Short mmCIF file of all heavy atoms in Angstrom, two decimals:
data_model
loop_
_atom_site.label_atom_id
_atom_site.label_comp_id
_atom_site.label_asym_id
_atom_site.label_seq_id
_atom_site.Cartn_x
_atom_site.Cartn_y
_atom_site.Cartn_z
N SER A 1 0.22 16.87 -2.38
CA SER A 1 -0.75 17.05 -1.28
C SER A 1 -1.15 18.52 -1.13
O SER A 1 -2.35 18.83 -0.99
CB SER A 1 -0.16 16.54 0.03
OG SER A 1 0.11 15.15 -0.04
N SER A 2 -0.18 19.42 -1.17
CA SER A 2 -0.47 20.85 -1.00
C SER A 2 -1.35 21.37 -2.13
O SER A 2 -2.31 22.10 -1.90
CB SER A 2 0.82 21.66 -0.95
OG SER A 2 1.52 21.40 0.25
N MET A 3 -1.02 21.00 -3.37
CA MET A 3 -1.80 21.45 -4.52
C MET A 3 -3.25 20.99 -4.42
O MET A 3 -4.18 21.75 -4.72
CB MET A 3 -1.18 20.92 -5.82
CG MET A 3 -0.03 21.75 -6.33
SD MET A 3 -0.56 23.36 -6.94
CE MET A 3 0.70 23.75 -8.12
N ILE A 4 -3.44 19.75 -4.00
CA ILE A 4 -4.80 19.22 -3.90
C ILE A 4 -5.56 19.90 -2.77
O ILE A 4 -6.76 20.22 -2.90
CB ILE A 4 -4.76 17.69 -3.72
CG1 ILE A 4 -4.28 17.04 -5.03
CG2 ILE A 4 -6.13 17.15 -3.32
CD1 ILE A 4 -4.03 15.57 -4.93
N GLU A 5 -4.89 20.15 -1.64
CA GLU A 5 -5.55 20.85 -0.53
C GLU A 5 -5.94 22.27 -0.94
O GLU A 5 -7.03 22.75 -0.59
CB GLU A 5 -4.63 20.88 0.69
CG GLU A 5 -4.50 19.53 1.38
CD GLU A 5 -3.53 19.58 2.55
OE1 GLU A 5 -3.35 20.68 3.10
OE2 GLU A 5 -2.96 18.54 2.90
N VAL A 6 -5.06 22.94 -1.67
CA VAL A 6 -5.35 24.28 -2.16
C VAL A 6 -6.54 24.24 -3.12
O VAL A 6 -7.46 25.06 -3.04
CB VAL A 6 -4.10 24.87 -2.86
CG1 VAL A 6 -4.48 26.05 -3.74
CG2 VAL A 6 -3.06 25.29 -1.83
N SER A 7 -6.54 23.26 -4.02
CA SER A 7 -7.64 23.12 -4.99
C SER A 7 -8.96 22.87 -4.27
O SER A 7 -10.00 23.42 -4.65
CB SER A 7 -7.35 21.96 -5.95
OG SER A 7 -6.15 22.17 -6.64
N LYS A 8 -8.92 22.04 -3.23
CA LYS A 8 -10.13 21.74 -2.47
C LYS A 8 -10.69 23.01 -1.83
O LYS A 8 -11.90 23.27 -1.88
CB LYS A 8 -9.82 20.70 -1.41
CG LYS A 8 -11.04 20.25 -0.61
CD LYS A 8 -10.67 19.16 0.40
CE LYS A 8 -11.91 18.72 1.17
NZ LYS A 8 -11.57 17.66 2.16
N TYR A 9 -9.81 23.81 -1.25
CA TYR A 9 -10.25 25.07 -0.64
C TYR A 9 -10.90 25.97 -1.68
O TYR A 9 -11.97 26.56 -1.45
CB TYR A 9 -9.05 25.79 0.00
CG TYR A 9 -9.39 27.17 0.53
CD1 TYR A 9 -9.74 27.37 1.86
CD2 TYR A 9 -9.37 28.29 -0.32
CE1 TYR A 9 -10.07 28.63 2.33
CE2 TYR A 9 -9.69 29.56 0.15
CZ TYR A 9 -10.04 29.72 1.47
OH TYR A 9 -10.38 30.98 1.94
N LEU A 10 -10.26 26.09 -2.85
CA LEU A 10 -10.77 26.96 -3.90
C LEU A 10 -12.15 26.51 -4.38
O LEU A 10 -13.06 27.32 -4.55
CB LEU A 10 -9.79 27.01 -5.07
CG LEU A 10 -8.43 27.64 -4.78
CD1 LEU A 10 -7.46 27.40 -5.93
CD2 LEU A 10 -8.58 29.14 -4.51
N LYS A 11 -12.32 25.21 -4.59
CA LYS A 11 -13.61 24.68 -5.04
C LYS A 11 -14.69 24.87 -3.98
O LYS A 11 -15.83 25.24 -4.28
CB LYS A 11 -13.46 23.20 -5.40
CG LYS A 11 -12.72 22.93 -6.69
CD LYS A 11 -13.59 23.24 -7.91
CE LYS A 11 -12.94 22.76 -9.19
NZ LYS A 11 -13.79 22.94 -10.38
N GLU A 12 -14.32 24.62 -2.72
CA GLU A 12 -15.30 24.76 -1.63
C GLU A 12 -15.73 26.20 -1.44
O GLU A 12 -16.80 26.46 -0.88
CB GLU A 12 -14.70 24.21 -0.32
CG GLU A 12 -14.60 22.69 -0.29
CD GLU A 12 -13.94 22.18 0.98
OE1 GLU A 12 -13.35 23.03 1.71
OE2 GLU A 12 -13.99 20.97 1.23
N ASN A 13 -14.89 27.14 -1.91
CA ASN A 13 -15.21 28.56 -1.77
C ASN A 13 -15.71 29.18 -3.07
O ASN A 13 -15.65 30.40 -3.26
CB ASN A 13 -14.01 29.33 -1.24
CG ASN A 13 -13.80 29.11 0.25
OD1 ASN A 13 -14.34 29.82 1.08
ND2 ASN A 13 -13.01 28.09 0.59
N GLY A 14 -16.22 28.32 -3.95
CA GLY A 14 -16.95 28.82 -5.12
C GLY A 14 -16.17 29.00 -6.40
O GLY A 14 -16.70 29.56 -7.37
N ALA A 15 -14.92 28.56 -6.45
CA ALA A 15 -14.16 28.69 -7.71
C ALA A 15 -14.82 27.86 -8.79
O ALA A 15 -15.39 26.79 -8.54
CB ALA A 15 -12.72 28.23 -7.50
N ASN A 16 -14.75 28.35 -10.01
CA ASN A 16 -15.35 27.65 -11.15
C ASN A 16 -14.44 26.51 -11.58
O ASN A 16 -14.61 25.38 -11.17
CB ASN A 16 -15.62 28.63 -12.30
CG ASN A 16 -16.29 27.98 -13.48
OD1 ASN A 16 -16.95 26.95 -13.33
ND2 ASN A 16 -16.13 28.56 -14.65
N LYS A 17 -13.42 26.81 -12.39
CA LYS A 17 -12.45 25.79 -12.79
C LYS A 17 -11.10 26.06 -12.13
O LYS A 17 -10.74 27.22 -11.90
CB LYS A 17 -12.29 25.77 -14.31
CG LYS A 17 -13.54 25.28 -15.04
CD LYS A 17 -13.27 25.05 -16.50
CE LYS A 17 -14.48 24.42 -17.17
NZ LYS A 17 -14.24 24.13 -18.61
N VAL A 18 -10.38 24.99 -11.84
CA VAL A 18 -9.06 25.11 -11.22
C VAL A 18 -8.04 24.40 -12.10
O VAL A 18 -8.13 23.19 -12.34
CB VAL A 18 -9.04 24.49 -9.80
CG1 VAL A 18 -7.62 24.50 -9.24
CG2 VAL A 18 -9.98 25.25 -8.87
N TYR A 19 -7.08 25.19 -12.61
CA TYR A 19 -6.00 24.66 -13.44
C TYR A 19 -4.70 24.69 -12.64
O TYR A 19 -4.27 25.75 -12.18
CB TYR A 19 -5.83 25.49 -14.71
CG TYR A 19 -7.09 25.66 -15.51
CD1 TYR A 19 -7.67 26.92 -15.69
CD2 TYR A 19 -7.74 24.56 -16.09
CE1 TYR A 19 -8.83 27.09 -16.43
CE2 TYR A 19 -8.90 24.72 -16.82
CZ TYR A 19 -9.45 25.98 -16.99
OH TYR A 19 -10.60 26.13 -17.72
N LEU A 20 -4.07 23.53 -12.48
CA LEU A 20 -2.79 23.44 -11.79
C LEU A 20 -1.68 23.55 -12.84
O LEU A 20 -1.74 22.90 -13.89
CB LEU A 20 -2.68 22.12 -11.04
CG LEU A 20 -3.84 21.77 -10.10
CD1 LEU A 20 -3.58 20.43 -9.41
CD2 LEU A 20 -4.06 22.87 -9.07
N VAL A 21 -0.67 24.37 -12.56
CA VAL A 21 0.42 24.61 -13.50
C VAL A 21 1.75 24.39 -12.79
O VAL A 21 1.99 24.96 -11.72
CB VAL A 21 0.36 26.05 -14.07
CG1 VAL A 21 1.60 26.34 -14.90
CG2 VAL A 21 -0.90 26.24 -14.91
N SER A 22 2.61 23.56 -13.39
CA SER A 22 3.90 23.27 -12.78
C SER A 22 4.90 22.88 -13.85
O SER A 22 4.56 22.13 -14.78
CB SER A 22 3.77 22.15 -11.75
OG SER A 22 5.03 21.79 -11.24
N THR A 23 6.13 23.38 -13.75
CA THR A 23 7.17 23.00 -14.71
C THR A 23 7.49 21.52 -14.61
O THR A 23 7.65 20.83 -15.62
CB THR A 23 8.45 23.82 -14.47
OG1 THR A 23 8.12 25.22 -14.52
CG2 THR A 23 9.51 23.52 -15.52
N PHE A 24 7.58 21.02 -13.37
CA PHE A 24 7.93 19.62 -13.14
C PHE A 24 6.81 18.94 -12.35
O PHE A 24 6.60 19.26 -11.19
CB PHE A 24 9.25 19.51 -12.38
CG PHE A 24 10.40 20.20 -13.05
CD1 PHE A 24 10.89 21.40 -12.56
CD2 PHE A 24 10.99 19.67 -14.19
CE1 PHE A 24 11.95 22.05 -13.17
CE2 PHE A 24 12.05 20.31 -14.81
CZ PHE A 24 12.52 21.51 -14.30
N ALA A 25 6.13 18.01 -12.99
CA ALA A 25 5.10 17.22 -12.31
C ALA A 25 5.72 15.90 -11.86
O ALA A 25 5.65 14.88 -12.55
CB ALA A 25 3.91 16.97 -13.23
N LEU A 26 6.38 15.93 -10.70
CA LEU A 26 7.09 14.74 -10.22
C LEU A 26 6.12 13.68 -9.72
O LEU A 26 6.34 12.49 -9.91
CB LEU A 26 8.06 15.13 -9.10
CG LEU A 26 9.08 16.23 -9.46
CD1 LEU A 26 10.01 16.49 -8.27
CD2 LEU A 26 9.88 15.89 -10.70
N LEU A 27 5.06 14.11 -9.04
CA LEU A 27 4.02 13.20 -8.53
C LEU A 27 4.66 11.99 -7.84
O LEU A 27 4.47 10.84 -8.24
CB LEU A 27 3.07 12.74 -9.64
CG LEU A 27 2.42 13.85 -10.50
CD1 LEU A 27 1.32 13.27 -11.36
CD2 LEU A 27 1.89 14.98 -9.66
N THR A 28 5.42 12.27 -6.81
CA THR A 28 6.27 11.26 -6.16
C THR A 28 5.48 10.15 -5.47
O THR A 28 6.06 9.11 -5.14
CB THR A 28 7.20 11.92 -5.13
OG1 THR A 28 6.42 12.68 -4.20
CG2 THR A 28 8.19 12.84 -5.83
N GLU A 29 4.19 10.35 -5.25
CA GLU A 29 3.38 9.29 -4.64
C GLU A 29 2.47 8.61 -5.65
O GLU A 29 1.51 7.93 -5.29
CB GLU A 29 2.56 9.88 -3.48
CG GLU A 29 3.43 10.35 -2.32
CD GLU A 29 2.62 10.90 -1.16
OE1 GLU A 29 1.37 10.81 -1.20
OE2 GLU A 29 3.23 11.40 -0.20
N GLY A 30 2.79 8.79 -6.94
CA GLY A 30 2.02 8.14 -8.00
C GLY A 30 0.80 8.94 -8.41
O GLY A 30 0.48 9.98 -7.83
#
């Protein structure tokens, strides 16, 4: 949820591409 909210803010404020980087992608909600 936090990563997606952060990404949304970045895109809404003019970011070009957004790459998420994480050692462990648990994705506990599927």
Side-chain angles (χ1 to χ4, degrees):
S1 297
S2 291
M3 278 290 206
I4 290 173
E5 287 178 25
V6 163
S7 301
K8 184 178 181 180
Y9 174 94
L10 295 170
K11 286 285 189 175
E12 288 177 347
N13 284 271
N16 183 23
K17 292 190 174 182
V18 174
Y19 306 116
L20 308 180
V21 173
S22 175
T23 304
F24 304 106
L26 305 182
L27 307 191
T28 55
E29 294 182 6

